[in-house]
Amino acid sequence: MRYLIDTNCCIYLFSAHYPQLRLRLAATDAGEVGLSVIVLAELALGARLGKVPSDERLGRLRQEFPILPFEEGDAEAYASLPFRRGRFDRLLGAHAVSRGLILITNNEADFADISGLRTENWTRP
């Protein structure tokens, strides 16, 4: 695994917007992009609140991406981050840093203050 995909990019996969995101994902090898259990939790919460994705689409995401568990080293990385609202983003950023993974996101500014985090925006042409 080389990448983690952010929640916003997962949601974009179910819209007609950002076709370049789908093209980039299609060009990656199987297992190269993972789904953090943190993103899975955020998407599952949204689905239960009637937001995108639906439970059915969330099931498809689970099949498409390997799910990366959040473990002790990830928790320690999270605890070392400066406090800021948006805990899902903070947890996801720590998860990526702890594992040495690149985060695929359209919200680079939300992660800009996380030292050592590498991001790529695949929604741009």
Side-chain angles (χ1 to χ4, degrees):
M1 190 176 306
R2 185 171 174 209
Y3 299 97
L4 282 181
I5 187 166
D6 190 8
T7 306
N8 63 356
C9 288
C10 288
I11 292 169
Y12 296 157
L13 292 175
F14 300 110
S15 73
H17 304 293
Y18 306 109
Q20 55 277 17
L21 173 63
R22 275 191 229 88
L23 291 172
R24 284 284 305 266
L25 285 168
T28 62
D29 293 330
E32 193 172 14
V33 178
L35 185 66
S36 169
V37 71
I38 303 303
V39 170
L40 181 60
E42 192 171 12
L43 290 169
L45 175 62
R48 290 206 170 56
L49 296 174
K51 298 179 181 178
V52 174
S54 65
D55 285 331
E56 177 187 331
R57 288 179 166 180
L58 184 56
R60 280 191 263 153
L61 277 179
R62 288 178 167 176
Q63 293 174 354
E64 186 172 335
F65 299 111
I67 297 174
L68 187 64
F70 194 83
E71 297 175 342
E72 186 176 345
D74 308 314
E76 290 172 8
Y78 173 72
S80 72
L81 297 178
F83 176 78
R84 188 170 155 208
R85 294 206 186 281
R87 288 190 173 89
F88 280 122
D89 286 346
R90 307 309 279 175
L91 287 164
L92 180 59
H95 206 185
V97 167
S98 174
R99 304 298 180 99
L101 301 172
I102 300 166
L103 182 63
I104 302 166
T105 185
N106 189 32
N107 292 331
E108 299 102 325
D110 292 348
F111 298 97
D113 68 333
I114 299 178
S115 180
L117 177 62
R118 297 174 294 156
T119 61
E120 291 184 9
N121 188 339
W122 292 7
T123 64
R124 295 187 186 136

